[in-house]
Amino acid sequence: MGSRIIVKNLPKKISDEKFRTHFASVGEITDAKLKFTKDGKFRQFGFVGFRTDEQARKAIDYFNNTYIDASKLIVELCQPLNEANKTRPWSKHSKSKKEPETKKEAKKSNKKEDMMQKLLGPLGKDDQFFEFLEANKAIKSKENIWKNDINLDIRQTSKSADPDKAENEIQTEDKKIVDVDQEPDFENGRLFVRNLCYECKEEDLEKLFAMYGPLVEVNMPIDNFSKKPKGFAYITCMFPEKALQAFNDLDGTVYQGRMLHILPAKSKAEADEIDEKNFKQKKQAEMKKKAQSSHNWNTLFINQNSVANLMANKYQVDKSDIYDVHSAGGKKASAAVKLAVGETQIVNDIRKFLLRNHVKLDAFGSNRERSKTVMLVKNLPNDTNETELKEFIAKQKVDGGMKRFVMPEYGIACLIEFNERQEARDAFKKLAYRKFKSVPLYLEWAPVDIFEGDGQQMDSEENENKEEEIGENKKVNEILEKESDNEDDYEENATLFVKNLNFDTNEEDLRKLFSKIGKCKATIAKKISHNKETLSMGYGFVMFKKSSDAKEAIKSLQGCQLDGHCLEIKFSNRTGAVDAAKKKAVQMTKQKSSKILVRNIPFEAKAKEIEELFKVFGELKYVRLPKKIDGAHRGFGFVDFVTQSDAERAFDALSHSTHLFGRRLVLEWAEPEQTQDVEILRQKEEQLSGSRNKKLKKSQILDDLGREEDDLRMDVGTES
């Protein structure tokens, strides 16, 4: 079924406006055309394109055999251009006329062919003779005799005038000839799609071409004034053979009421090729290309110079006082620790500001799909304000489609959301690594669904109430997770593999069936179809809390029916790598004791500096950095607090983005095996030393026995 129809037997004096409005009552029209001859004579038929196939079918059922000004309409579905079984056009004006219209014309053409064969005789089968005829035709028509010939007159005149110009003209002429004879090239996997309707979106094209394979880019230019598509797009496929397959299947087909015309496009490198004059321009071009990568930078990173400037401005002190290692009392204080504490405070303030502006901070930490309309601008100077940055963006002429602008008070980074994808791409290209106040701008695409809501600013009281509600909801969720859904309570070897499921069976029905045996979780394997629909794969997994319940489920539920299908159940052979990864992520953020494992500690840092950094949040028991044989520490350590509340406060503050000597500290809650007290370790050491002493005593006993044997031998010798 298509979305384009042909309307025949129209009145001779119908206008375009009347034709469009007559058929607009049944659906959204994307194209309406009346066909005329070269002389301007109306051929009494036209084409109407609708947005969907259903609207076209509805128009056929509604308008077929109806009347316009006493003319009975014939409404049919339009056939695609690439259809193999396409019927022959009946009109004499058709270009693709293959057969004569009448029997008389057929007889005349056959008579002419017979006469030519009799006159030519054996020459009718000679290829050289026909080549000679074509050459004579070319001479009479003043065209090139051969297809690859170049006009000799142009060469001679150009040589006589200027040899350099003559060579350039010859080269350009050769290029034109090569382009004419060259076949379509799909090696770069890039396609040019035109004749799109003006209501088409990039998401629609992604869905259409994604059926043939993964896509690298979909670029649909829009008009700057009307903000509507220009009617063409560029599609870049990851695999060139998929681009060729899409070209063969979709070229000439009807899409959203219009005939698609697809051509192979030049690669992006050739289209945007620029002759760089020096090394600086080449390096800048390479950096802009790398800016499009999906590498996830540290979102809340602040360089040490900006931290010092912000601390000096906030506490009204000189910048030199922050780097001064001697305090007023004469005690030494580490400048690195001062900067780390200041960075922690600034990062926490930024987090609060982003939460008030409906930004999902958890989205930055996960490997989510990247948005195509929201970008993150980083490496801004600390004294940057919102008006300065907006004026700078306006100078680049990319501020037309900005929808939302979120910038913290410290001015070190900001989030910009655009209305259209094309506007966001243009802004990204122009702003990436662009110099702003003596520093380059670092850009990154933000994760999908980074904002909550539609971006309208709320009052300060509403923001505070929302923060309180979010905090209460988090606490409630944590309590529920601890009480009912604790991952640690699930035993190993308690996961079952269930197959032969009905495709309509959902996870809740599967869980209810197995929950008769014991508490469990149920998941069904799913896949995404070509139409972007989530479909069941016919099998799933059930995880019990106890392995005994899993054994009982195999015995009692083997072969039982669920939604008309007999289930086949067995123990799962999977190692549970995905579950283990999730479990590890939960364990890293789940508090177990008052001890914190600190990774990625700089090798130049000392235990005293780690102690100064963590004692800001509470009283410490000890700080321990395991050492190597040469006396240097191993790059990680343990910090134990007196109370768990102090440990939790330190973990929440320092785990986001705290740098010490330029390295980001990574915090995890220590494992149970790592939470042993010093006294227990000393007892183990004493036991090991005691076992060594026992071995020494045993050797002494053997030596004593040996000496006694020697004494006996000596006694026997003397008696003899």
Side-chain angles (χ1 to χ4, degrees), residues 481-671:
E481 287 177 1
K482 289 179 181 179
E483 289 180 355
S484 62
D485 208 8
N486 195 347
E487 292 284 346
D488 296 337
D489 295 341
Y490 287 86
E491 298 180 359
E492 295 182 357
N493 300 323
T495 304
L496 301 179
F497 173 68
V498 184
K499 63 179 182 178
N500 197 28
L501 290 171
N502 192 326
F503 293 118
D504 297 330
T505 302
N506 54 30
E507 294 178 351
E508 184 64 23
D509 295 338
L510 185 63
R511 189 194 63 80
K512 286 181 180 179
L513 177 64
F514 283 85
S515 61
K516 299 175 183 178
I517 308 298
K519 191 170 184 180
C520 63
K521 287 182 178 180
T523 57
I524 295 176
K526 297 177 181 179
K527 66 177 181 179
I528 299 175
S529 65
H530 295 305
N531 299 327
K532 300 294 183 180
E533 295 180 359
T534 305
L535 303 176
S536 172
M537 297 181 69
Y539 65 89
F541 298 90
V542 179
M543 184 170 65
F544 284 92
K545 275 200 169 185
K546 298 179 181 179
S547 58
S548 58
D549 293 340
K551 294 177 182 178
E552 181 65 25
I554 292 177
K555 292 179 182 178
S556 59
L557 297 178
Q558 187 70 258
C560 70
Q561 286 195 356
L562 180 63
D563 295 335
H565 282 229
C566 293
L567 304 183
E568 298 181 22
I569 310 170
K570 63 179 181 179
F571 279 103
S572 175
N573 296 325
R574 294 174 60 188
T575 57
V578 177
D579 295 337
K582 290 181 180 179
K583 190 173 181 180
K584 185 178 180 181
V586 171
Q587 289 175 353
M588 288 168 59
T589 58
K590 185 178 178 181
Q591 186 175 5
K592 300 174 182 178
S593 63
S594 61
K595 182 181 283 188
I596 300 174
L597 169 63
V598 186
R599 300 184 186 273
N600 201 33
I601 297 176
F603 293 105
E604 59 265 36
K606 299 178 182 178
K608 187 177 180 181
E609 292 172 331
I610 302 296
E611 182 181 354
E612 288 180 5
L613 177 61
F614 280 86
K615 74 179 183 181
V616 175
F617 303 95
E619 188 177 354
L620 302 176
K621 286 184 182 178
Y622 63 87
V623 175
R624 183 168 64 87
L625 301 180
K627 295 183 178 180
K628 304 177 186 176
I629 298 174
D630 58 357
H633 67 81
R634 296 179 177 273
F636 67 93
F638 298 93
V639 179
D640 196 358
F641 285 84
V642 174
T643 61
Q644 290 189 2
S645 59
D646 293 340
E648 185 179 3
R649 193 184 310 114
F651 189 92
D652 293 339
L654 298 173
S655 61
H656 301 300
S657 181
T658 300
H659 294 74
L660 185 65
F661 290 104
R663 299 186 71 170
R664 182 181 178 181
L665 299 180
V666 181
L667 273 62
E668 299 176 14
W669 292 110
E671 296 291 334

Side-chain angles (χ1 to χ4, degrees), residues 709-720:
E709 289 180 358
D710 293 339
D711 293 340
L712 288 172
R713 288 173 184 172
M714 291 291 292
D715 294 340
V716 172
T718 52
E719 288 179 359
S720 62

